[in-house]
Amino acid sequence: MHNKSLIWHHLPPDVAPDTRLLPGLHLLLDEGDSAKHRLLPWLAGVQNPPAPGQVQCGAWQGGTQAYRAQAMAVPLTDCHPQQPVADWLIAQQQRWPGWDGTAWQQHVAGFALEPHLEKAWWQLSTGTQRKFWQAAALASGAAITLIDAPDAGLDRASIEYLGQALNAVADQLAQAEHPRWVLVAHHDTLPGVQWDEVVQLPTDTHC
């Protein structure tokens, strides 16, 4: 069981309870919109939690190069304003061995991104950038996929499609050959999404 679980434990009690997640689609429910800002960098492997806290996914220890190589986090930080979206897309396809081209095309259609594929990043609205990020994250096949504030900047049609896309991912994960964890951090449950597990993060009572 251990080698097929994403685990974090001994984290500060105001951030997250001890948690063990099997592969699947999971919600980090942060009704206070606070704890996730500390937790997500630890789950992405870009920061280490204070001792004795630990994050581990199978044989990958949080904070190591091996762990970071498996993690993709939205919002992405690798987009230069002058970079053409087409070049960024090629880099994403090369970066992630499990990239699903069929899923990517479905997300491009679902998020209505086709008219923006020939643009540079600086020409995109914040909402359109987030659509590209989420489309890439869902299609990436990254073993640890983290999506923060999934509906931020999205129009109603895109929010509806996002729910459909997340449910489709959940169905795929249940039959996937390689284990994958897709974690969404949000202050709401996103009605209609079939989460495998919901992790309730602590609410900051000092606000």
Side-chain angles (χ1 to χ4, degrees), residues 46-65:
V46 296
Q47 297 179 13
N48 288 317
Q54 286 191 331
V55 175
Q56 186 162 349
C57 185
W60 306 313
Q61 186 69 42
T64 63
Q65 179 67 28

Side-chain angles (χ1 to χ4, degrees), residues 3-33:
N3 63 0
K4 291 186 178 180
S5 297
L6 173 60
I7 303 167
W8 58 88
H9 53 87
H10 304 310
L11 301 184
D14 60 341
V15 175
D18 289 358
T19 301
R20 178 190 294 266
L21 296 174
L22 295 177
L25 175 68
H26 307 297
L27 174 66
L28 303 176
L29 183 59
D30 186 9
E31 294 172 314
D33 201 30

Side-chain angles (χ1 to χ4, degrees), residues 99-123:
W99 182 270
D100 186 337
T102 299
W104 167 257
Q105 292 299 332
Q106 291 172 344
H107 300 325
V108 166
F111 283 128
L113 293 173
E114 187 72 33
H116 306 288
L117 288 170
E118 301 303 320
K119 296 180 180 179
W121 278 103
W122 70 268
Q123 296 174 294

Side-chain angles (χ1 to χ4, degrees), residues 35-49 63 67 146:
K36 67 177 183 177
H37 298 295
R38 296 173 66 189
L39 178 60
L40 289 176
W42 300 339
L43 297 183
V46 296
Q47 297 179 13
N48 288 317
Y67 181 102
L146 308 170

